[in-house]
Amino acid sequence: MKEYRLKGLSCPKCAAGIEQQIHKLEHGETAHIQYNSGKLKLDEKVNLEQVKKILASDHASLIKEDEGHNHEQNHNHTKIKLYLGISTGVFILALLLDGMSNISGVPFYLAAIILSGYQTFIKGLRNLTKLTFNIEALMTIALIGAVSIGEWKEGTLVAILFGLNEYLEGLGMEKARKSMESLLKIAPKEAILIKNGREETVSINELKVNDLVLVKSGAKIPSDGVVETGNSSVNEAAITGEAMPVEKGAGESVFGGSINNEGILRVKITKAYEDSSLAKILHLVEEAQETKTPTELFINRFSRYYTPIIMLISALVMLVPPLFLGGIWGESFYQGLAVLIVGCPCALILSSPIANISGITRNARNGILVKGSVYLEQLGKIDTLAFDKTGTLTKGAPYVEKYEIYDREHFLTVSAAVEKHSSHPLAKAIMSKVNDLPYREKEASNIETVSGQGIIAEVNGGKYWVGNEKSVRHVSIPTDIQSSIEEMKRDGLTLVIVANETSILGMFGIADEIREESESVIKALHTAGIKNTVMLTGDHEKTAEKVAHRVGVSSYFGGLLPEDKVQKVKQLTREGKVAMIGDGINDAPALASADLGIAMGKGTDSAIETADIVLMQDHFGKLPEAVSIAKRVNRTIRINIALALGLKLIALLLTIPGLLTLWIAILSDMGATILVTLISLTILWERKKKESSSYQTETEPQHS
């Protein structure tokens, strides 16, 4: 499939019509037009000249490869503004001439109509021949009708205002598209490849796994990889949304699209660009624009019936008064034409897509990947958030929360000697604590691992046991030490006891460290409208209770197996709209069972592929803002629909006393369209609320 950029797409319905025509071409069955992003995906075997003819029939065309997209759009907008400006000037001249009894302004009205409305008129005639009653068809009928009854002034005003309406509508969609395009521009274009000791600039598409690239200061890292040599701080905002730079050195992984702030890095490529985290993110964000929410699908279905109903009402307004109520044919015909214009569903169709694109884009800038408008809408409806504990509310890395020393001379020395060469997470936690305390360094020998218990080793000629309670059964434990053991167990701590042949030297109480931001984020989620926060964990009840009380979740459930988590999520979904947040790997079944799956992944493949929404950071500090944005998008769409239908209803009611005029009709339609577009774009334009520093200010370090 080859991808082309398009210009001149006038509306989603027109784009769908073009797509259907291309489907009829040989090899055209898989063609797909993405209206929101202005792109056409096409099988390379399709006859491109035939495609161009189909596009041209609707005044759309392909953008040439050497033609700047923004330049082309600006040129197009300038041309439309010029035509509208000239036609407005001609219209004013016609009004002045009309005031002179001996000169007719009709030729000038006609010129103004042609300048501002010829594209609409041509499309409308073509659609009428196909019995397709869309916006252009309605406007064409209204223009012909106005001219036929001699309403040149109002007919011209209708053409100019509709042209202005189309221009503003296109400008609004283009603004939303540009906001998305600015996000897509973060992709790197070239890389400096080191081959046989020589440097060569190549396209990122030429890079292969295990290639070595040079990344200079200020340059973008071309694809996911591992630092071979060099040290630098790297800006990962393109991936994670975090403004704070991350220090990178040899052996550490880096994301494609992140920026090397200073120094020089040599990076070994681990993924071809098309498989990189950034490429997947950009692809998914782009696809997300095209998904349809239940609201949008309803609007599309509604508009299919809405236009014919409006045409029927228009016909009744034209015929019923003169036939049955003694009305005047000319006045009734005029009122019927006005009803046709009121019936244009522009504002209704635009009420949802611009708001959704704006919401997806803002979240993407924050490092939150929403895979489609449907998931954004769901996020705005969520009332319950279920959290996995390990790796979500906690860091998923053990640390020593408490320790007791009974033999100061040997406890730390033995602990360090036995654990320092181990890669076990508990050993690393112990070494992290021991290194903060004074001890004598010794080496352990004759190390023996006892399954399910711990380690037996010799240190400085003595024999020692390091492990759980089972490992020290050979020792008689005094009452006070046994009390300390029971207290640590009640606190939900994992015990590592150090003993010699006769006595306990000391012990460590190890816990999974609670994330610094967890408590403040849970509060922020409740403030954002989440009614119920639930923690689900496989840990025992005491540990679950301790973490739940510390972070402030509404309720918790401990001792759950993976299948138990699924059942609990299903139970919660029967009571409300539920989102499940986990690490995207171990929690996949529970994520799939929820109405919405949210993964924390720091850009891992499994996280991107598993969930409906992915937090690209290694914390969930920005989740409350994502919820707020989603709720705002849903609220905006509801306001838009109310405005679009409300203004039209008011205009239609004016037909009862006979007050509806053509210019009032077009102003009501244009007013609704402008309001809907501007309100939707405020989601993008809103001043950023500490987006770069909210995590730091909201989550001052807390000692757990």
Side-chain angles (χ1 to χ4, degrees):
M1 295 286 282
K2 194 169 181 180
E3 188 173 270
Y4 300 89
R5 288 180 300 157
L6 298 174
K7 62 182 178 183
L9 292 177
S10 54
C11 66
K13 198 169 182 180
C14 305
I18 293 170
E19 185 181 286
Q20 286 173 4
Q21 289 184 61
I22 297 174
H23 285 170
K24 295 174 183 176
L25 299 177
E26 190 177 3
H27 307 296
E29 302 85 2
T30 57
H32 176 54
I33 291 179
Q34 296 176 329
Y35 172 72
N36 291 337
S37 54
K39 291 187 177 180
L40 166 65
K41 291 185 177 178
L42 201 62
D43 191 309
E44 293 185 15
K45 296 176 183 176
V46 176
N47 187 315
L48 203 56
E49 292 306 314
Q50 290 180 320
V51 172
K52 288 178 180 177
K53 284 181 182 178
I54 292 171
L55 291 169
S57 69
D58 204 64
H59 295 279
S61 60
L62 302 177
I63 295 176
K64 298 172 186 174
E65 290 185 11
D66 58 347
E67 190 174 31
H69 185 61
N70 290 339
H71 171 75
E72 171 57 34
Q73 290 299 332
N74 291 336
H75 175 72
N76 197 38
H77 289 157
T78 302
K79 188 170 73 172
I80 294 171
K81 281 192 288 186
L82 180 64
Y83 284 170
L84 285 172
I86 294 172
S87 60
T88 303
V90 173
F91 175 60
I92 293 169
L93 178 61
L95 289 174
L96 293 173
L97 291 173
D98 249 2
M100 304 176 190
S101 57
N102 59 335
I103 301 175
S104 172
V106 170
F108 295 94
Y109 288 129
L110 184 60
I113 289 173
I114 291 170
L115 277 169
S116 58
Y118 75 95
Q119 285 191 352
T120 300
F121 190 74
I122 292 168
K123 285 182 184 178
L125 285 177
R126 189 182 297 117
N127 289 325
L128 284 172
T129 60
K130 299 175 185 175
L131 297 179
T132 302
F133 298 103
N134 61 359
I135 298 164
E136 285 84 6
L138 295 182
M139 292 306 299
T140 299
I141 294 170
L143 279 174
I144 293 171
V147 169
S148 67
I149 60 174
E151 293 290 345
W152 287 98
K153 289 179 188 175
E154 296 200 21
T156 307
L157 189 61
V158 164
I160 292 172
L161 290 178
F162 185 73
L164 180 61
N165 190 42
E166 291 277 279
Y167 168 70
L168 293 172
E169 183 182 320
L171 204 62
M173 181 57 75
E174 190 58 32
K175 173 69 179 172
R177 281 179 187 156
K178 280 183 179 177
S179 70
M180 184 62 72
E181 283 177 6
S182 66
L183 185 73
L184 301 179
K185 283 179 183 175
I186 61 177
K189 302 291 185 294
E190 295 178 332
I192 300 175
L193 176 66
I194 301 174
K195 198 170 184 180
N196 301 322
R198 297 178 62 185
E199 296 177 11
E200 179 187 353
T201 301
V202 298
S203 166
I204 58 165
N205 295 318
E206 295 178 38
L207 291 180
K208 299 185 289 294
V209 174
N210 294 326
D211 276 351
L212 188 65
V213 297
L214 183 73
V215 186
K216 296 180 180 179
S217 175
K220 290 179 181 178
I221 295 168
S223 189
D224 295 359
V226 175
V227 176
E228 287 273 300
T229 60
N231 289 281
S232 180
S233 65
V234 173
N235 183 343
E236 295 183 339
I239 308 294
T240 66
E242 299 284 24
M244 295 300 291
V246 182
E247 294 297 325
K248 297 289 183 180
E252 294 190 279
S253 59
V254 288
F255 291 119
S258 52
I259 300 170
N260 179 19
N261 286 333
E262 75 275 331
I264 293 177
L265 295 176
R266 286 173 178 249
V267 176
K268 186 178 183 179
I269 300 299
T270 55
K271 290 180 184 175
Y273 175 72
E274 61 266 23
D275 299 322
S276 68
S277 301
L278 179 63
K280 287 182 179 179
I281 290 166
L282 298 182
H283 176 68
L284 288 170
V285 169
E286 202 169 15
E287 281 194 338
Q289 298 177 78
E290 304 303 322
T291 59
K292 293 285 186 285
T293 67
T295 302
E296 285 180 299
L297 292 172
F298 168 75
I299 289 171
N300 289 343
R301 286 196 301 269
F302 178 74
S303 64
R304 282 189 212 135
Y305 302 103
Y306 171 80
T307 303
I309 289 170
I310 286 294
M311 293 189 74
L312 178 62
I313 293 172
S314 174
L316 292 173
V317 169
M318 288 179 182
L319 299 173
V320 170
L323 288 177
F324 303 105
L325 303 174
I328 300 169
W329 278 101
E331 290 180 3
S332 297
F333 189 71
Y334 178 87
Q335 290 277 305
L337 292 178
V339 169
L340 273 183
I341 295 171
V342 171
C344 292
C346 305
L348 189 62
I349 290 169
L350 280 179
S351 60
S352 183
I354 294 179
N356 279 321
I357 292 172
S358 300
I360 289 169
T361 304
R362 274 205 65 187
N363 277 318
R365 286 175 182 167
N366 280 342
I368 297 170
L369 175 60
V370 183
K371 290 187 179 178
S373 301
V374 63
Y375 304 121
L376 187 68
E377 184 176 286
Q378 283 280 69
L379 183 61
K381 294 178 179 177
I382 291 299
D383 53 35
T384 300
L385 256 176
F387 296 86
D388 173 55
K389 179 185 77 70
T390 306
T392 305
L393 293 171
T394 65
K395 292 182 177 179
Y399 83 114
V400 175
E401 186 171 300
K402 285 184 181 179
Y403 62 95
E404 299 277 353
I405 301 177
Y406 307 118
D407 185 332
R408 190 164 295 277
E409 183 180 354
H410 296 100
F411 174 62
L412 295 177
T413 298
V414 170
S415 300
V418 173
E419 302 284 29
K420 67 182 177 181
H421 297 301
S422 174
S423 60
H424 194 282
L426 295 184
K428 289 181 178 179
I430 289 169
M431 286 308 301
S432 178
K433 174 57 71 177
V434 170
N435 286 332
D436 291 337
L437 303 169
Y439 71 96
R440 289 180 299 153
E441 214 170 319
K442 298 287 183 181
E443 288 295 327
S445 60
N446 297 325
I447 297 173
E448 178 190 351
T449 300
V450 181
S451 180
Q453 295 187 22
I455 295 172
I456 302 172
E458 291 182 13
V459 179
N460 204 28
K463 192 174 183 180
Y464 297 93
W465 286 256
V466 179
N468 57 27
E469 284 183 273
K470 293 178 183 177
S471 70
V472 294
R473 281 181 295 197
H474 64 284
V475 176
S476 176
I477 302 175
T479 306
D480 58 334
I481 295 179
Q482 187 63 49
S483 297
S484 295
I485 290 173
E486 295 303 322
E487 183 183 345
M488 285 193 182
K489 286 165 67 178
R490 281 195 299 274
D491 288 341
L493 301 178
T494 299
L495 295 182
V496 175
I497 303 172
V498 181
N500 59 19
E501 293 177 340
T502 59
S503 60
I504 304 292
L505 306 182
M507 57 185 170
F508 298 97
I510 298 175
D512 186 1
E513 189 172 3
I514 296 172
R515 290 180 180 274
E516 293 90 345
E517 77 273 13
S518 291
E519 184 179 358
S520 62
V521 172
I522 295 296
K523 284 180 182 175
L525 286 168
H526 287 154
T527 303
I530 301 298
K531 297 175 185 175
N532 192 23
T533 50
V534 183
M535 185 185 76
L536 308 176
T537 178
D539 284 350
H540 50 77
E541 285 289 330
K542 281 292 177 184
T543 302
E545 181 183 14
K546 172 187 162 187
V547 174
H549 288 165
R550 186 79 63 85
V551 302
V553 293
S554 309
S555 56
Y556 66 92
F557 299 92
L560 301 177
L561 296 171
E563 56 267 31
D564 298 328
K565 287 185 183 181
V566 171
Q567 291 305 315
K568 187 59 67 177
V569 168
K570 286 181 177 177
Q571 180 185 326
L572 291 169
T573 57
R574 290 193 288 270
E575 300 166 7
K577 289 283 184 183
V578 180
M580 172 74 188
I581 177 168
D583 61 14
I585 304 170
N586 303 326
D587 304 306
L591 290 173
S593 301
D595 295 305
L596 195 68
I598 304 174
M600 290 172 55
K602 187 73 173 177
T604 58
D605 290 346
S606 53
I608 292 174
E609 290 163 9
T610 302
D612 306 315
I613 296 174
V614 181
L615 310 181
M616 301 306 293
Q617 311 88 17
D618 58 357
H619 62 81
F620 63 117
K622 294 190 177 183
L623 184 58
E625 185 176 2
V627 171
S628 296
I629 290 170
K631 287 183 179 294
R632 184 174 175 188
V633 168
N634 287 353
R635 189 166 59 249
T636 298
I637 291 170
R638 287 196 297 271
I639 291 169
N640 287 346
I641 292 171
L643 276 171
L645 294 178
L647 286 175
K648 291 182 185 298
L649 180 61
I650 291 169
L652 288 174
L653 289 174
L654 290 175
T655 59
I656 297 172
L659 297 176
L660 183 63
T661 61
L662 289 177
W663 69 269
I664 288 177
I666 191 65
L667 279 176
S668 73
D669 179 63
M670 185 177 76
T673 302
I674 293 171
L675 282 173
V676 162
T677 302
L678 290 178
I679 291 169
S680 297
L681 288 175
T682 57
I683 297 167
L684 275 178
W685 291 342
E686 183 181 15
R687 188 174 62 186
K688 295 181 181 180
K689 298 177 182 177
K690 298 183 271 185
E691 282 184 344
S692 61
S693 60
S694 59
Y695 173 58
Q696 287 87 347
T697 56
E698 288 175 7
T699 59
E700 292 299 322
Q702 300 167 6
H703 297 289
S704 19

